[in-house]
Amino acid sequence: MRSAFICFLFFIGFKVSAQQVSVSGKITDDTGNPVPFASVYIQNTTLGASANSEGDYSLQLKPGQYVMQYKAMGLKQETRKVDLKESKVINITLHTEVYQLQTVSITGNGQDPAYAIIRKAIKKRNTYLNEVRAYTCDVYIKGLQKLLDAPKKFLGRDINQIGRQIGLDSNRRGIIYLSESQSKYSFMYPGKVHEEMISSKVSGSNRAFSFNRASDLRINFYENFETWPGISLRPLISPIADNALFYYNYKYIGETVENGKTINKIQVIPRRPHDPCFEGYIYIQDDSWRLVALDLYITKKANISLADTIKINQQFVPVSNKAWMTSTIRFDFTGGLFGFKLGGYFISVYKNYDLNPTFNKKDFNEVLRITKGINKKDSTYWQQERPIPLTNEEKTDYTKKEVLAAKRESKHYLDSIDKVNNKFNLIRLTLSGMSLRDRYKKEYYRFDPLLSTFFFNTVQGFAFNYKTSFTKMIDTANNRFFRVGANIGYGISDHILNGGVNALIPVSQFTLGLDAGSDVVDMNNLQPISTLSNTVHSLFAKQNYQKLYQKQFASASLSGRITGGWQAVATVEWANRNWLPNTSAYSFSNNNVYTSNNPLLPAQNIPLFPKNQSFKLSLRTTYDFSNQYETHPNGRRYLPSPYPTIGLSFTKGIKNILSSDVDYDKLSADISKSDISMGVYGHTSFFIGAGKFLTATSLYYPDYNQFRGNEGIFYRGGISSFLLLNYYTYSTRTEYLEGHFEHNFSGFITNKIPIIRKLKLQEIVHINYLTSPELKNYYELGLGVQYLNLKVLYGTSYNSGSNIHSAIRLGISL
């Protein structure tokens, strides 16, 4: 009986597989060269595929009669009627498309006829943008990145050795990323998306999941502009945007007839070389004035990052009588940095559109779903499902790296790698620190760099504070780890030895933090000036900005996400606090005189506060209105909200517990939002905070509300930072209100700074405000110009009751 049942299943499986046949072949041009990534579609359907980079295609279909269409940019479409009863090989030659000019003429005002077509396309832009309010489709994505060239060594590392480990050839060239994925993609106006990854394959890893995302590759040139974070600081203007005529010139190339419809080919040319604009060709259908294809590119001239050139090829197919949808999108890119040259592409194929799905808005709270097991599909599955055949190079890469992946996961291999990397290297320990790893056990020891351990301040003199840590991954699936660290420090001038231990322990979905020891810390608990900055200012300009005290302490905290966009942290701390005097006046400079370690009496070496004990409880909660998240095999990841984040904090100093001397209650609230897009006008950020000590029976300077000031040339940026505010003077024990506004105008400032005309610049406007009873009012107005991390700050500030003073500063944003 069992054998009969097995035979029955085998017969059913054979019948199902027999229902699928393939049509495959090679697509070439007039000269016999392969046509890479040509589209293959079944007429009047959204079933299709794409040729690979060598012109080979394959399409799985049920037996039947089909009309197949083959097309590629700049080549004439070919149609074949096929009666599929069994698998067939059909090779296709696509001939060069001839675009006719005889039916158009230059208008009476001498304007190219392309402008009339573009104006009609712009007029119809909003119609087609809102034509389809919701849809679902299946998306296949393949991504490939290749290392085209690399130096033999980089930062002391042997690139040849690293190349062998990741499968490169002897010239340090080859595929460094190859991945395929299939997703079910859902869209609902305006801009709500849900993507569920169905399958994933990554070359060289049996456990990883593809980085391919349909939402990342989504483009819509019916939008006025495309926003590509990380690639362009400015939004990129569509060739048919409402204001496109201000940014583009157009040239009519000609027309051709495709499926009985006239298609106009128009060249788009940026009016100015450095505008955020595309170059290339767009194809617009006559009468309907809709886009049917795009072949565009953008280069470094348009101020893009990471890549030298990005090419975009998009094709559309009719899905219904009135709607055209994307059939394929391809991004090709090249770039390089520090002698490394990269190139590659991402291509997506869309099929099985449903333009009338039933959705609930809550369906889109989950933006992405990746579940366990989708990366375990076998080769038979992929051979049946992938719409783009693998090239010989890609097949080899999968095969070779599958062996490497199995090898890399073995204990013998991991131990051999660790043995090489864990060798003691004094130069590495000095400059960048060392990590000793046991990859098989997932244990890591970290030793900080010696160079950053040493510093100088007027309280300790020359001093060091060395840190080390141990990390153990205890839950790989959910990325949960245990970490313990320790530090030891000593001041050569004050002869005080300090040290401490700390730990991070996962507790359910929360993290427990423990910290205890002794340290010399900043009186401003926001630490607005770094140890390195204070060292440089002290030794080279005799400006000891940082004011310090000794703190012996023990604390515990519990932090994590309560639900959705609601996060919280609770902290309890006991501390013994002791003011310290200056013990060193050493400096390379004799131009200034060091101030005392009392920021309120800089000319007098008088203690700012007496020795005291503090026991306090702090609660901090934030909510960012985020109801969108991604589900990964290791848990949820919530996405940033388009709305501001609100925060509420409460600190209570409790008297008499463990001899505590403090007794106060402080309540504060804030609202903030960074990088609010203003389209072509840049990005805006703001922070507004207010607080009040409800009771202040007993507290000391370290308990005051502090602010992020800046007086040095090393500017620590941040949305709640002041450009010129004194680090300590305006701390308050009553109430306060602070506001910060920053607007970045991203672009090229060619008319203001001709010397650096070709550099990528940002023009930044700052407006900062602070008030409290002690301070009354403090205002800052600033205009800055930024290239990479260099920042020139032009500021004018004034404090009520004191002289107006201005400053021009050159700073380095850290």
Side-chain angles (χ1 to χ4, degrees):
M1 180 67 182
R2 183 183 176 191
S3 299
F5 182 69
I6 292 174
C7 290
F8 175 75
L9 291 179
F10 178 81
F11 175 75
I12 292 296
F14 176 79
K15 292 290 289 183
V16 170
S17 64
Q19 290 175 358
Q20 291 286 326
V21 295
S22 68
V23 55
S24 59
K26 196 173 191 69
I27 303 174
T28 56
D29 60 17
D30 292 322
T31 63
N33 292 320
V35 179
F37 303 110
S39 294
V40 182
Y41 263 83
I42 306 302
Q43 192 176 60
N44 300 323
T45 75
T46 60
L47 294 175
S50 171
N52 61 23
S53 58
E54 297 175 348
D56 297 314
Y57 76 93
S58 179
L59 190 59
Q60 301 293 323
L61 298 167
K62 294 180 180 180
Q65 295 182 343
Y66 299 95
V67 177
M68 302 186 65
Q69 295 180 330
Y70 302 82
K71 59 187 300 184
M73 293 287 187
L75 300 174
K76 188 175 182 62
Q77 177 180 291
E78 290 290 331
T79 301
R80 292 288 188 275
K81 291 183 178 181
V82 181
D83 185 4
L84 277 182
K85 296 179 181 178
E86 57 185 15
S87 296
K88 288 188 176 182
V89 175
I90 301 177
N91 296 321
I92 295 294
T93 298
L94 297 181
H95 303 283
T96 302
E97 183 68 270
V98 178
Y99 289 89
Q100 304 294 329
L101 285 170
Q102 64 268 25
T103 60
V104 298
S105 60
I106 302 299
T107 59
N109 60 7
Q111 193 174 57
D112 192 286
Y115 286 86
I117 297 171
I118 289 295
R119 287 189 177 94
K120 292 174 183 177
I122 292 174
K123 189 175 181 180
K124 296 286 287 185
R125 180 195 67 81
N126 198 56
T127 299
Y128 295 133
L129 176 63
N130 298 287
E131 182 177 47
V132 177
R133 308 288 289 186
Y135 67 86
T136 64
C137 66
D138 297 327
V139 186
Y140 165 87
I141 302 174
K142 179 162 72 172
L144 181 142
Q145 297 176 30
K146 298 177 69 174
L147 190 61
L148 305 177
D149 197 8
K152 293 182 178 179
K153 286 193 174 182
F154 182 71
L155 296 178
R157 301 294 300 273
D158 187 343
I159 304 301
N160 280 317
Q161 180 184 5
I162 296 174
R164 287 192 295 271
Q165 295 175 6
I166 62 176
L168 300 181
D169 63 21
S170 59
N171 294 315
R172 303 170 300 284
R173 298 172 184 170
I175 296 175
I176 56 176
Y177 176 78
L178 171 61
S179 177
E180 299 173 276
S181 67
Q182 288 182 299
S183 299
K184 186 74 174 179
Y185 186 77
S186 303
F187 171 86
M188 185 172 71
Y189 185 87
K192 294 183 178 294
V193 300
H194 170 75
E195 180 178 354
E196 181 174 0
M197 191 172 287
I198 306 300
S199 56
S200 169
K201 186 176 179 67
V202 179
S203 181
S205 178
N206 298 322
R207 299 182 180 182
F209 295 88
S210 174
F211 291 110
N212 302 341
R213 303 287 186 272
S215 51
D216 290 341
L217 297 182
R218 179 178 173 267
I219 55 174
N220 189 345
F221 283 94
Y222 289 120
E223 298 278 1
N224 279 319
F225 49 79
E226 292 291 316
T227 302
W228 293 355
I231 295 178
S232 176
L233 292 171
R234 304 172 293 174
L236 306 173
I237 310 300
S238 167
I240 59 168
D242 289 338
N243 59 348
L245 293 172
F246 175 77
Y247 289 95
Y248 288 98
N249 288 317
Y250 302 90
K251 182 179 179 181
Y252 187 80
I253 302 301
E255 66 179 31
T256 189
V257 177
E258 188 175 286
N259 298 327
K261 299 290 186 180
T262 299
I263 308 298
N264 300 289
K265 182 178 181 180
I266 296 174
Q267 185 178 6
V268 298
I269 307 160
R271 285 184 177 270
R272 291 162 293 275
H274 300 299
D275 277 350
C277 295
F278 298 92
E279 301 178 63
Y281 301 93
I282 58 176
Y283 299 80
I284 298 176
Q285 190 181 80
D286 224 30
D287 296 332
S288 68
W289 314 114
R290 69 164 70 244
L291 295 171
V292 297
L294 302 157
D295 192 12
L296 302 171
Y297 66 93
I298 193 165
T299 67
K300 281 286 190 183
K301 289 190 301 182
N303 206 6
I304 62 173
S305 305
L306 303 179
D308 296 329
T309 302
I310 299 176
K311 297 179 180 179
I312 307 100
N313 182 297
Q314 184 178 19
Q315 298 191 40
F316 301 85
V317 293
V319 176
S320 66
N321 293 332
K322 66 173 186 176
W324 286 55
M325 303 296 291
T326 298
S327 60
T328 60
I329 299 176
R330 190 176 84 249
F331 287 84
D332 295 87
F333 57 89
T334 57
L337 189 67
F338 302 127
F340 293 88
K341 294 183 180 179
L342 296 169
Y345 66 84
F346 283 90
I347 183 169
S348 53
V349 179
Y350 300 77
K351 64 180 182 180
N352 297 330
Y353 278 99
D354 179 3
L355 302 187
N356 297 293
T358 301
F359 287 140
N360 186 306
K361 286 187 178 180
K362 291 184 179 180
D363 296 337
F364 295 92
N365 289 347
E366 184 184 59
V367 175
L368 175 68
R369 172 175 284 272
I370 302 175
T371 55
K372 295 179 182 179
I374 67 169
N375 58 348
K376 305 302 182 184
K377 309 287 187 181
D378 60 20
S379 57
T380 303
Y381 169 88
W382 282 105
Q383 188 173 356
Q384 292 290 325
E385 294 296 328
R386 65 166 60 96
I388 306 177
L390 296 177
T391 64
N392 291 330
E393 182 185 30
E394 292 163 353
K395 291 177 183 177
T396 301
D397 190 74
Y398 271 135
T399 302
K400 180 173 65 174
K401 290 183 179 175
E402 186 176 2
V403 176
L404 287 176
K407 179 182 177 182
R408 283 198 295 263
E409 293 174 3
S410 69
K411 185 178 187 303
H412 174 75
Y413 177 82
L414 293 175
D415 288 347
S416 66
I417 294 296
D418 290 338
K419 185 178 180 180
V420 174
N421 291 336
N422 292 345
K423 286 183 178 179
F424 178 77
N425 185 310
L426 181 60
I427 296 177
R428 183 152 56 110
L429 178 62
T430 302
L431 299 179
S432 61
M434 287 190 63
S435 294
L436 304 182
R437 304 174 181 177
D438 188 329
R439 300 170 197 253
Y440 189 76
K441 293 182 179 180
K442 298 180 175 59
E443 296 177 350
Y444 309 90
Y445 297 85
R446 171 66 184 172
F447 299 91
D448 276 11
L450 295 175
L451 190 62
S452 63
T453 297
F454 296 95
F455 55 90
F456 175 86
N457 60 62
T458 54
V459 171
Q460 298 174 280
F462 286 98
F464 72 89
N465 187 21
Y466 193 72
K467 299 178 181 179
T468 184
S469 65
F470 166 77
T471 302
K472 169 72 174 179
M473 184 66 68
I474 59 177
D475 185 356
T476 304
N478 295 294
N479 195 31
R480 307 288 283 171
F481 58 86
F482 166 78
R483 177 176 295 164
V484 61
N487 71 284
I488 185 169
Y490 182 74
I492 294 176
S493 182
D494 66 354
H495 307 295
I496 296 178
L497 179 68
N498 294 291
V501 293
N502 58 82
L504 291 176
I505 306 169
V507 181
S508 186
Q509 73 269 31
F510 299 99
T511 299
L512 174 65
L514 302 174
D515 203 355
S518 175
D519 203 356
V520 176
V521 298
D522 200 320
M523 292 185 191
N524 185 327
N525 51 41
L526 299 177
Q527 299 179 338
I529 182 171
S530 68
T531 300
L532 173 61
S533 177
N534 184 69
T535 299
V536 172
H537 277 283
S538 298
L539 292 178
F540 292 93
K542 221 168 190 179
Q543 296 171 326
N544 55 326
Y545 288 124
Q546 197 173 43
K547 307 303 176 184
L548 305 161
Y549 73 100
Q550 187 182 33
K551 178 180 176 181
Q552 298 162 329
F553 65 95
S555 68
S557 65
L558 189 66
S559 60
R561 187 179 300 275
I562 307 299
T563 182
W566 182 19
Q567 299 185 70
V569 56
T571 304
V572 60
E573 180 192 76
W574 174 87
N576 180 60
R577 304 179 298 193
N578 185 29
W579 180 84
L580 298 172
N582 286 342
T583 63
S584 175
Y586 184 83
S587 177
F588 302 148
S589 172
N590 295 316
N591 293 334
N592 297 315
V593 176
Y594 278 130
T595 60
S596 74
N597 196 43
N598 186 331
L600 304 185
L601 297 171
Q604 303 180 44
N605 201 31
I606 298 175
L608 179 60
F609 56 86
K611 184 175 182 179
N612 65 86
Q613 287 76 44
S614 165
F615 185 88
K616 65 180 181 180
L617 174 67
S618 300
L619 302 173
R620 167 74 175 170
T621 184
T622 61
Y623 188 71
D624 66 359
F625 300 93
S626 174
N627 61 354
Q628 292 190 318
Y629 59 89
E630 295 178 348
T631 301
H632 297 262
N634 59 359
R636 285 185 179 181
R637 184 177 75 88
Y638 282 84
L639 303 180
S641 170
Y643 305 104
T645 297
I646 57 174
L648 187 65
S649 301
F650 176 73
T651 302
K652 182 172 183 62
I654 306 175
K655 193 175 180 66
N656 296 328
I657 295 183
L658 299 176
S659 302
S660 173
D661 299 310
V662 299
D663 184 6
Y664 65 91
D665 298 275
K666 185 182 76 168
L667 181 66
S668 63
D670 54 80
I671 181 170
S672 62
K673 180 63 180 171
S674 299
D675 294 329
I676 304 170
S677 177
M678 306 296 287
V680 295
Y681 300 106
H683 292 79
T684 288
S685 302
F686 73 89
F687 176 93
I688 300 172
K692 180 178 176 63
F693 282 83
L694 304 178
T695 61
T697 306
S698 176
L699 72 161
Y700 303 91
Y701 186 86
D703 303 309
Y704 286 21
N705 195 84
Q706 315 285 351
F707 303 99
R708 297 183 188 276
N710 178 67
E711 295 179 273
I713 63 172
F714 296 92
Y715 172 65
R716 267 191 170 179
I719 192 175
S720 60
S721 296
F722 290 86
L723 299 180
L724 306 171
L725 184 71
N726 183 281
Y727 296 115
Y728 305 98
T729 305
Y730 302 129
S731 301
T732 180
R733 56 175 291 162
T734 53
E735 66 265 11
Y736 69 92
L737 171 67
E738 63 176 319
H740 307 259
F741 168 82
E742 178 178 297
H743 189 84
N744 293 358
F745 296 94
S746 304
F748 283 83
I749 311 175
T750 57
N751 59 334
K752 295 184 179 180
I753 310 176
I755 296 176
I756 51 177
R757 185 180 305 247
K758 294 183 180 180
L759 298 182
K760 184 195 305 179
L761 304 173
Q762 278 187 303
E763 187 175 351
I764 307 172
V765 172
H766 308 263
I767 301 175
N768 296 332
Y769 168 76
L770 174 64
T771 184
S772 68
E774 294 92 339
L775 175 62
K776 294 186 179 178
N777 294 293
Y778 181 92
Y779 302 84
E780 285 186 348
L781 303 175
L783 171 66
V785 176
Q786 179 174 309
Y787 172 61
L788 292 179
N789 286 335
L790 295 179
K791 183 174 292 183
V792 184
L793 303 174
Y794 302 85
T796 300
S797 63
Y798 60 93
N799 176 11
S800 176
S802 65
N803 296 328
I804 296 176
H805 50 95
S806 61
I808 298 178
R809 300 170 182 263
L810 170 64
I812 301 176
S813 179
L814 297 179

